[in-house]
């Protein structure tokens, strides 16, 4: 959420910063801005709109500089205007700052600074902080403070409540960028006699292969060939430089029109990579050493709690079905944002899992911290190597799905689900799941990439179906058992990228209210891939038809829906354990093609951004 880039070195900063912003634009795209520093002269440009608008502005006002910071915004405080775009400049014109996060006590700080003669030109919380930095810098006039700029930032941050990832430059201290983080990711890319700053490793692509991850509560002074880190409490920190694995970060669009399309099609590979090296044929089980728990410790677990947000929360719901069915361990699923603030009683033998594609979602991160604080073993499933969640959890499993840039999550979801199935298999085989049952699940897991490829061949047919349905403004999605979360996910995909109102329900629950919505103007998508309850699902379909609701069946029993459904998306018959993965792919495609038909900006949907790092 919001992208930050920074550069200090010997090359022209502006093109490098704009290039970085373009790579980070998926994190926020309502406005952008840049501040460049040459000697004691600062040049600042901010523009409402996409990064291309800023790029044009810079081209029309060239300013040669080798130091700069820039930002692409997802608005929190203050509307989308040029004035509210970052960087923000202190009213004395000495400091410029880009900020991700929210300063919660900004009004208090602002009022204090108004009393000190500072003025404000935006409605943002961020402007309070840059002025506070100036205030602390000036408080030391006459003092011979070493690292005066760093100290001013550190002192200012001592008074801040909330979250931040910031990069600051000052015309009083050229040759240095100060960066700091608390709750919002910030990374330093180490190049040859140059340093970069970014809120996402993607911002360094093609520019740096080594990275320093700032931790919460750290402040860094960055020069072209050095990075000094201290804590907000003024303790020196040893810099740890890590190599970036670019194979996991590739974000080229290739021949695809949109990242979402590309990522839907990458699913067979993502699923293959999620299971690689994690299956033991000999024992018909999974091999999950990343959990960092001995079989004995895992056998002590009486209960599992899953926490996540959005699509990842839907993956948790599938996990509940899979783990309870195959491992017979009670599972509970919580929205991470709710878990954090309520006093959920947890038994002592509870294992906590968080799931997060980005590994940076603040609600999920705070749920992780809360459960660790309470002394629970907390494991993570994440797609982002080196992310805050991966670093702070006690262990976990990487998804290896490759970079997900599309704001609507697709391949990350199916890869999270297959990892949850591996967990169900592993924990099941430690308990009552028999060798032959384990063997069936192993075979099913191994078949997923190939079946996913086959389902993707339905794309042309689904594209035609999408044309027919794109005119509707309301949709229902119904599914039962492990396909209930798939119904939720289908509804979420559609509403996110095409702005169609869509609701997901357990199919039988429809009679208890949502059926009131059924009419010729409200199509229903029904998932029906479970033989045991097929007659019930067919009855639900009949109830919709009787009320003249248009109906799409996503089913492996097409005959059962002949004469009832208006359109049938036929799926192959597969093992029960992998049905939620296979059933998701057609509705991702449906959502994608409906959005295209409606002329929506699929990769940059209204009001959304990837990686939600504010509460
Ligand atoms: C929906 C979507 C979001 C994310 C949610 C959690 O398509 O992408 O709902 O799933 O914001 O994000 P992560 O998984 O990064 O924690």
């Amino acid at each position: 959420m919001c992208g930050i880039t920074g550069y200090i070195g010997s090359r022209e900063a502006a093109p490098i910063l704009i290039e970085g912003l373009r790579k980070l634009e998926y994190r926020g795209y309502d406005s952008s801005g840049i501040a460049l520093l040459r000697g004691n002269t600062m040049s600042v440009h901010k523009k409402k709109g996409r990064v291309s608008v800023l790029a044009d502005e810079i081209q029309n006002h060239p300013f040669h500089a080798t130091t700069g910071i820039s930002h692409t915004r997802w608005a929190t405080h203050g509307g989308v205007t040029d004035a509210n775009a970052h960087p923000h400049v202190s009213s004395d014109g000495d400091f410029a700052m880009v900020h991700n996060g929210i300063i919660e006590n900004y009004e208090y700080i602002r009022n204090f600074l108004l009393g000190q003669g500072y003025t404000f030109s935006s409605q943002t919380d961020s402007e309070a902080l840059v002025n506070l930095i100036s205030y602390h810098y000036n408080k030391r006039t006459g003092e011979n403070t070493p690292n005066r700029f760093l100290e001013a930032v550190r002192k200012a941050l001592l008074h801040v409540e909330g979250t931040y990832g910031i990069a600051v430059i000052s015309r009083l201290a050229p040759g240095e960028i100060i960066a700091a983080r608390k709750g919002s990711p910030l990374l330093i890319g180490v190049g040859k006699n140059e340093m970069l700053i970014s809120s996402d490793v993607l911002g360094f692509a093609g520019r740096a292969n080594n990275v320093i991850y700032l931790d919460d509560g750290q402040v860094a002074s960055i020069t072209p060939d050095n990075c000094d880190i201290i804590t907000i409490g003024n303790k020196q920190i040893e810099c740890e430089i890590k190599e970036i694995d670019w194979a996991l970060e590739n974000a080229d669009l290739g021949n695809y029109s949109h990242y979402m399309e590309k990522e839907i099609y990458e699913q067979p590979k993502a699923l293959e990579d999620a299971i690689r090296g994690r299956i033991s044929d000999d024992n018909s089980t999974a091999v999950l050493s990343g959990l960092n728990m001995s079989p004995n410790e895992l056998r002590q677990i009486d209960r599992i709690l899953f926490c996540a947000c959005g699509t990842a929360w839907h993956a948790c719901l599938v996990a509940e079905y899979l783990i309870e069915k195959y491992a017979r361990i009670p599972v509970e699923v919580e929205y991470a944002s709710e878990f954090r603030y309520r006093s959920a009683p947890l038994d002592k033998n509870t294992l906590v899992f968080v799931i997060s594609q980005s590994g940076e979602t603040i609600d999920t991160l705070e749920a992780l911290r809360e459960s660790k604080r309470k002394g629970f073993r907390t494991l993570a499933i994440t797609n982002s190597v080196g992310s805050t969640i991966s670093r702070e959890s006690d262990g976990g499993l990487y998804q290896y799905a490759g970079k997900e840039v599309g704001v609507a999550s697709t391949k990350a979801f199916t890869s999270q689900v297959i990892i949850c199935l591996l967990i169900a298999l592993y924990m099941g085989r430690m308990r009552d799941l028999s060798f032959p049952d384990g063997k069936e699940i192993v075979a099913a897991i191994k078949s997923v990439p190939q079946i996913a490829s086959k389902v993707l061949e339905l794309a042309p047919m689904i594209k035609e179906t999408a044309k027919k349905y794109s005119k509707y403004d309301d949709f229902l999605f119904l599914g039962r058992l492990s396909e209930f979360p798939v119904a939720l996910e289908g509804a979420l995909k559609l509403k996110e990228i095409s702005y169609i109102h869509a609701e997901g329900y357990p199919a039988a629950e429809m009679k208890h209210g949502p059926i009131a919505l059924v009419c010729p103007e409200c199509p229903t998508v029904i998932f029906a891939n479970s033989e045991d309850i097929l007659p019930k699902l067919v009855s639900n379909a009949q109830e919709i038809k009787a009320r003249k609701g248009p109906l799409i069946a996503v089913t492996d029993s097409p005959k059962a829906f002949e004469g009832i459904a208006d359109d049938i998306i036929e799926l192959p018959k597969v093992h029960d354990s992998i049905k939620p993965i296979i059933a998701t792919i057609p509705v991702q495609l449906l959502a994608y093609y409906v959005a295209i038909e409606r002329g929506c900006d699929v990769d940059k949907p209204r009001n959304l951004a990837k990686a939600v790092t504010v509460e």
Side-chain angles (χ1 to χ4, degrees):
M1 188 153 274
C2 298
I4 285 181
T5 59
Y7 177 82
I8 185 160
S10 53
R11 285 188 281 173
E12 195 74 53
I16 296 174
L17 294 170
I18 294 289
E19 175 192 282
L21 285 187
R22 287 191 203 279
K23 290 180 194 139
L24 299 187
E25 206 175 9
Y26 74 114
R27 297 182 69 109
Y29 34 80
D30 56 44
S31 48
S32 56
I34 192 167
L36 297 164
L37 189 61
R38 186 178 63 229
N40 301 114
T41 313
M42 201 147 68
S43 159
V44 179
H45 291 279
K46 331 201 279 184
K47 280 296 194 197
K48 182 175 150 182
R50 300 282 159 91
V51 170
S52 54
V53 180
L54 177 71
D56 290 346
E57 170 83 1
I58 301 285
Q59 209 140 49
N60 295 334
H61 302 90
F63 181 86
H64 299 290
T66 56
T67 300
I69 54 175
S70 60
H71 189 267
T72 174
R73 179 172 187 241
W74 183 88
T76 56
H77 289 59
V80 180
T81 61
D82 289 354
N84 287 339
H86 296 223
H88 288 286
V89 178
S90 55
S91 62
D92 51 21
D94 289 341
F95 297 84
M97 182 191 81
V98 289
H99 169 223
N100 290 352
I102 295 176
I103 309 296
E104 286 168 2
N105 59 341
Y106 79 99
E107 273 193 287
Y108 172 81
I109 296 173
R110 195 170 195 266
N111 287 337
F112 166 75
L113 291 168
L114 283 169
Q116 301 294 317
Y118 284 88
T119 57
F120 291 81
S121 53
S122 80
Q123 291 129 15
T124 65
D125 52 329
S126 312
E127 202 182 0
L129 178 54
V130 72
N131 277 318
L132 191 64
I133 291 169
S134 160
Y135 167 80
H136 280 283
Y137 190 92
N138 289 316
K139 228 174 128 183
R140 297 200 143 57
T141 309
E143 285 178 28
N144 190 11
T145 322
N147 306 325
R148 185 165 162 193
F149 183 18
L150 177 72
E151 271 300 281
V153 176
R154 188 182 74 77
K155 286 262 160 63
L157 292 175
L158 283 173
H159 298 276
V160 161
E161 285 164 22
T163 54
Y164 50 81
I166 55 167
V168 198
I169 53 174
S170 171
R171 61 189 169 110
L172 306 177
E176 178 178 24
I177 300 179
I178 305 293
R181 79 159 267 181
K182 184 180 154 218
S184 241
L186 208 61
L187 289 60
I188 298 157
V190 182
K192 208 162 170 232
N193 295 325
E194 60 184 8
M195 298 274 190
L196 296 108
I197 298 166
S198 179
S199 43
D200 184 325
V201 80
L202 204 57
F204 304 143
R207 299 259 169 216
N209 293 322
N210 293 310
V211 63
I212 299 167
Y213 292 96
L214 268 194
D215 277 330
D216 272 359
Q218 295 184 345
V219 194
S221 157
I222 303 157
T223 61
D225 48 16
N226 194 38
C227 175
D228 278 330
I229 302 182
I230 56 169
T231 64
I232 303 225
N234 208 9
K235 266 195 11 221
Q236 200 72 33
I237 298 285
E238 189 87 21
C239 276
E240 201 187 333
I241 300 179
K242 297 203 165 139
E243 204 175 329
I244 302 167
D245 184 349
W246 285 116
L248 293 175
E249 304 291 343
N250 178 19
D252 287 344
L253 194 51
N255 291 327
Y256 290 98
S257 310
H258 299 95
Y259 281 104
M260 181 177 179
E261 181 193 25
K262 173 182 179 250
E263 288 156 9
I264 290 174
Y265 278 92
E266 280 175 347
Q267 285 177 110
K269 178 166 184 322
L271 290 159
E272 186 84 61
D273 291 343
I275 60 179
R276 180 168 296 116
R278 288 176 169 163
I279 287 179
S280 157
D281 286 303
D282 289 349
N283 298 312
S284 281
T285 189
V287 182
L288 303 178
S289 46
L291 299 183
N292 285 343
M293 287 177 78
S294 69
N296 207 22
E297 285 174 312
L298 280 166
R299 263 191 301 272
Q300 309 296 316
I301 298 302
D302 291 335
R303 197 161 154 257
I304 302 180
L305 172 73
F306 275 89
C307 286
C309 306
T311 285
W313 184 77
H314 297 156
C316 296
L317 290 179
V318 182
E320 179 177 3
Y321 283 93
L322 297 174
I323 293 174
E324 291 194 343
K325 179 168 179 178
Y326 298 117
R328 312 295 304 152
I329 302 172
V331 173
E332 256 183 72
V333 179
E334 289 255 12
Y335 283 113
S337 52
E338 289 295 303
F339 172 74
R340 182 185 172 192
Y341 287 108
R342 74 189 202 91
S343 333
L346 297 185
D347 300 339
K348 72 173 179 344
N349 292 336
T350 300
L351 176 63
V352 179
F353 266 102
V354 296
I355 302 185
S356 173
Q357 187 286 128
S358 62
E360 301 293 352
T361 300
I362 192 77
D363 291 323
T364 311
L365 174 61
E366 288 301 335
L368 178 154
R369 288 176 175 160
E370 179 66 11
S371 70
K372 281 185 75 176
R373 207 174 290 129
K374 289 181 168 156
F376 291 94
R377 178 83 70 134
T378 307
L379 306 178
I381 298 170
T382 174
N383 195 30
S384 304
V385 175
S387 58
T388 312
I389 286 180
S390 73
R391 285 181 289 131
E392 293 197 16
S393 56
D394 297 314
L397 300 167
Y398 279 124
Q399 299 180 227
Y400 300 122
K403 190 82 191 169
E404 190 178 70
V405 176
V407 169
S409 184
T410 52
K411 63 177 178 175
F413 174 75
T414 48
S415 114
Q416 284 158 0
V417 172
I418 207 161
I419 287 174
C420 292
L421 178 57
L422 288 169
I423 295 169
L425 170 67
Y426 186 54
M427 297 188 86
R429 290 286 294 122
M430 277 174 188
R431 291 171 163 80
D432 304 328
L433 191 72
S434 69
F435 184 89
D437 288 345
K439 198 167 169 184
E440 265 185 30
I441 297 174
V442 163
I445 291 174
K446 285 174 151 180
S447 71
V448 170
Q450 205 202 340
I451 299 171
S453 298
K454 272 254 124 340
V455 173
L456 286 168
E457 288 172 14
L458 296 171
M461 176 257 164
I462 295 174
K463 191 173 180 178
E464 286 311 305
T465 312
K467 283 188 186 149
K468 198 165 140 190
Y469 287 89
S470 61
K471 61 175 190 269
Y472 294 101
D473 289 323
D474 295 285
F475 267 76
L476 276 178
F477 283 73
L478 304 178
R480 287 190 81 164
L481 306 177
S482 63
E483 288 185 334
F484 158 51
V486 176
L488 294 177
E489 178 60 8
L492 179 62
K493 288 298 86 115
L494 194 65
K495 69 183 125 186
E496 284 184 287
I497 56 167
S498 59
Y499 320 137
I500 291 173
H501 166 241
E503 306 215 27
Y505 277 97
E509 195 57 25
M510 177 186 69
K511 302 183 292 294
H512 302 284
I515 197 163
L517 296 174
V518 174
C519 67
E521 285 74 46
C522 176
T524 298
V525 177
I526 189 161
F527 298 90
N529 297 289
S530 188
E531 235 153 79
D532 299 348
I533 47 165
L534 190 64
K536 314 276 177 211
L537 288 158
V538 173
S539 297
N540 295 144
Q542 295 278 19
E543 287 152 13
I544 290 161
K545 225 44 244 166
R547 286 156 186 88
K548 299 195 171 46
L551 185 68
I552 305 173
V554 181
T555 181
D556 60 3
S557 304
K559 283 213 156 29
F561 289 89
E562 272 173 16
I564 309 173
D566 300 281
D567 288 278
I568 297 177
I569 299 176
E570 182 179 348
L571 295 183
K573 285 214 181 287
V574 298
H575 190 266
D576 234 37
S577 60
I578 59 169
K579 282 177 179 167
I581 299 173
I582 301 306
T584 301
I585 297 170
V587 285
Q588 294 171 338
L589 287 166
L590 184 71
Y592 174 71
Y593 289 123
V594 166
I596 298 287
E597 274 303 307
R598 290 169 75 102
C600 298
D601 191 343
V602 171
D603 282 336
K604 295 192 177 68
R606 177 174 83 193
N607 302 341
L608 297 177
K610 197 85 177 158
V612 182
T613 52
V614 292
E615 268 196 74

